[in-house]
Amino acid sequence: QPEQALDVLRTASQALPNAAVLHLALGEFYLAQNQAAQAMSSLRRAEKLAATPLSALRLAQALVQLGHHAEARQLLSRAVERPGAHQPDVWPELAHTYAQVLRVQGDLPLAVQMFTEVVNLQPDDLPARLELAQALVASEEQAAAQQAIQHLDQALEMISSPTVGADLRVGPPVGHQPHGLLEARLRASLAEACRISGDLPRALENYRQVFDLPVSDCLAEYSNDYSRDYSPSRLAAGFGQVALQLDQPQTALAILKEAVRLDPGDLFLQRLLSEAYLACGLPQEAFETAQSVLDRSPASLENLNWFIDQGLRIEESPAGPAQISVRQHLINALDFASRLAP
């Protein structure tokens, strides 16, 4: 029984206060119960008494659960250099945790290096392969996106094989993802990677598949510290951009209108929606949406520049000048922008 095990560990660690292994075991027990705060004192004690790769890993995992990523990174950067760190019973999990912390901290090159090591060690670990692809995509570089596509294609091929479930890892050590959600995350990342790499038709195909999946609304639920990777806003923005570039403005308009309805505070989505309206021959709606963007953030030089460019496009559109007088709005925006950045 968990209660009995907890009582035994507490009693033993109190009776032998210098036994690092007992403090580590007590901390691991709390971690397994998702009680990171309760685990901290035991894990810090274990690390102080006998600093090992495993004690550092468990303490870092507790710190991550509590949101202390900077301290976890410092600890893990030392742990990977400790004697015994590369032992097969600890290294894959240690490297994976370190890679995740690096990703959250924004150190993408080192995160990619560590995720690559994890994937090389455990090629059937689909979440690790996905996280490697995510880190590559996050760089927004074409070459990195092409590498991500290779990993994502392999993962999708693996998840569709009959051996899934028996031989493949489909979730991290704590908390498993249903196959449907994992596939949705893989396809969402593949859509983003294809967009960045320039393969727009394939990007559009995968965006469509993601939004058609019954689990698409739950994507962010399983993304932990990477929730932005799977937010409806981000995916809708990518979907809309690709549809506009492929001259499918009606598709872009439909997805962006719904996205803005769900997240009216996302100004980038509203900018894309204005562009979709204009591409669909609706300059009045395009201008009203553009004006809304400017009204929400009038002191943003980026938004001012965009508003001026979009206003000029609206003014030059066939239906624009007859229905809308945008010139004075553009003059006002130019005047304000010149005062913001003289």
Side-chain angles (χ1 to χ4, degrees), residues 3 5 17 41 47 61 76 87 114 156 164 180 188 207 213 222 242 250 252 255 258-259 268 272 283 308 313:
E3 295 81 3
S41 60
E47 175 71 4
Q61 288 171 332
L76 290 167
Q87 292 297 317
M114 296 306 298
L156 285 166
V164 163
Y207 280 123
L213 287 170
Y222 280 79
V242 169
Q250 294 293 343
I255 194 70
E258 177 64 12
F268 183 63
L272 288 174
I308 293 165
R313 287 190 290 267

Side-chain angles (χ1 to χ4, degrees), residues 114-159:
M114 296 306 298
F115 278 129
T116 300
E117 182 142 359
V118 175
V119 168
N120 289 339
L121 286 169
Q122 298 177 328
D124 61 348
D125 186 337
L126 297 185
R129 193 177 290 274
L130 170 60
E131 287 174 302
L132 169 57
Q134 288 174 317
L136 288 164
V137 168
S139 71
E140 294 280 341
E141 295 177 358
Q142 188 175 40
Q146 290 169 346
Q147 293 179 47
I149 290 171
Q150 295 177 5
H151 286 289
L152 293 164
D153 281 341
Q154 290 175 13
L156 285 166
E157 182 179 349
M158 292 161 71
I159 204 172

Side-chain angles (χ1 to χ4, degrees), residues 78-289:
R78 296 192 298 268
V80 296
E81 302 297 332
R82 287 178 181 172
H86 288 259
Q87 292 297 317
D89 59 337
V90 69
W91 178 242
E93 192 178 354
L94 177 60
H96 195 174
T97 303
Y98 188 30
Q100 290 173 324
V101 171
L102 290 166
R103 166 74 200 283
V104 172
Q105 288 273 288
D107 191 341
L108 295 177
L110 189 52
V112 166
Q113 179 182 328
M114 296 306 298
F115 278 129
T116 300
E117 182 142 359
V118 175
V119 168
N120 289 339
L121 286 169
Q122 298 177 328
D124 61 348
D125 186 337
L126 297 185
R129 193 177 290 274
L130 170 60
E131 287 174 302
L132 169 57
Q134 288 174 317
L136 288 164
V137 168
S139 71
E140 294 280 341
E141 295 177 358
Q142 188 175 40
Q146 290 169 346
Q147 293 179 47
I149 290 171
Q150 295 177 5
H151 286 289
L152 293 164
D153 281 341
Q154 290 175 13
L156 285 166
E157 182 179 349
M158 292 161 71
I159 204 172
S160 64
S161 75
T163 60
V164 163
D167 302 317
L168 293 180
R169 294 186 60 206
V170 296
V174 178
H176 291 263
Q177 302 171 51
H179 282 190
L181 277 168
L182 180 58
E183 180 183 356
R185 294 181 69 191
L186 289 165
R187 290 209 174 276
S189 295
L190 181 57
E192 294 281 275
C194 289
R195 175 181 62 80
I196 295 167
S197 73
D199 190 347
L200 300 184
R202 193 174 182 207
L204 190 69
E205 173 192 348
N206 279 281
Y207 280 123
R208 286 187 191 278
Q209 290 189 47
V210 170
F211 279 88
D212 286 343
L213 287 170
V215 296
S216 61
D217 291 339
C218 306
L219 278 170
E221 179 183 346
Y222 280 79
S223 29
N224 301 320
D225 294 298
Y226 315 142
S227 59
R228 178 62 182 159
D229 291 352
Y230 304 106
S231 71
S233 298
R234 177 183 176 124
L235 294 176
F239 194 169
Q241 284 177 296
V242 169
L244 285 172
Q245 288 176 278
L246 290 175
D247 198 24
Q248 297 186 27
Q250 294 293 343
T251 297
L253 183 61
I255 194 70
L256 290 168
K257 282 176 69 174
E258 177 64 12
V260 168
R261 185 186 69 81
L262 295 173
D263 190 0
D266 190 318
L267 297 185
F268 183 63
L269 277 178
Q270 292 211 32
R271 284 161 51 171
L272 288 174
L273 178 59
S274 174
E275 293 169 13
Y277 275 129
L278 186 58
C280 290
L282 300 168
Q284 179 70 45
E285 291 83 350
F287 179 72
E288 290 173 357
T289 306

